[in-house]
Amino acid sequence: MTELRTPRLWLHAIDAAEGERIVGRRAAVGDAWADDFPFDGDVIGVTAFLRATAIHGDQRPFGHYRITRASDGKAIGGIGFKGQPHVGCVEVGYGLAPSARGHGYATEALLALLNIAAEQGLSRVVADTTSDNVASQRTLERAGFRQVRTNGDVHVYELLLDTETQ
């Protein structure tokens, strides 16, 4: 599984070479990026992905996915799993370039990623966001997550997956 499609997006599982280009902010021939992609959040997420790949090898399907807008073919952000599942649970993270925010793309991408977790038989997905990131909190809530605790400035959310229908 290297690409997921939603009504408005393509989620493409990146490899180490593409990750290096994103972290270095150097598009190669054939890379179509929004003017403000990658933003700092992309670089942070992909750096963690590259570190995990170097230590543990190919992370798919629990790796990092480039979010591409189908209407113009431009990369607008990233979404992925923050490591491999542990005891039926996996953590997710996501971010969009500033120009792509406010259109529901993050929720759409997150719902697609949740399908991967469900297809892999996981029972729980977690995510966190800071108290001042109201947009991310709303994204998680629209995707079905509920806040389970606060740890200082960090709000922790979880989604219990329906393992009965898999």
Side-chain angles (χ1 to χ4, degrees):
M1 170 185 331
T2 59
E3 193 162 295
L4 303 168
R5 292 187 183 263
T6 72
R8 301 179 300 157
L9 303 171
W10 302 326
L11 276 64
H12 172 77
I14 68 168
D15 59 15
E18 184 173 359
E20 293 290 347
R21 293 194 309 273
I22 291 170
V23 168
R25 299 176 195 241
R26 292 181 312 272
V29 174
D31 287 337
W33 293 356
D35 290 341
D36 52 353
F37 176 85
F39 75 108
D40 292 343
D42 291 310
V43 172
I44 292 167
V46 174
T47 298
F49 161 78
L50 290 171
R51 190 175 312 114
T53 300
I55 295 169
H56 304 290
D58 188 2
Q59 299 296 295
R60 285 178 283 191
F62 296 104
H64 189 86
Y65 295 78
R66 180 191 70 234
I67 302 171
T68 299
R69 192 172 37 221
S71 64
D72 63 3
K74 301 273 184 167
I76 58 170
I79 189 165
F81 297 97
K82 294 182 174 182
Q84 296 295 307
H86 179 71
V87 192
C89 180
V90 70
E91 185 176 0
V92 296
Y94 52 86
L96 292 174
S99 65
R101 296 175 186 163
H103 301 282
Y105 295 139
T107 302
E108 190 172 325
L110 181 54
L111 289 169
L113 204 68
L114 292 174
N115 286 332
I116 294 172
E119 289 168 1
Q120 297 297 314
L122 300 182
S123 58
R124 191 165 67 102
V125 179
V126 296
D128 63 48
T129 187
T130 56
S131 60
D132 64 341
N133 194 343
V134 176
S136 184
Q137 294 166 31
R138 297 298 168 258
T139 294
L140 291 166
E141 291 165 0
R142 282 191 297 273
F145 284 75
R146 65 181 181 84
Q147 184 178 341
V148 292
R149 71 180 174 280
T150 301
N151 184 9
D153 189 41
V154 176
H155 295 271
V156 179
Y157 286 78
E158 79 172 358
L159 175 71
L160 299 178
L161 299 171
D162 183 6
T163 56
E164 298 296 316
T165 59
Q166 296 176 27

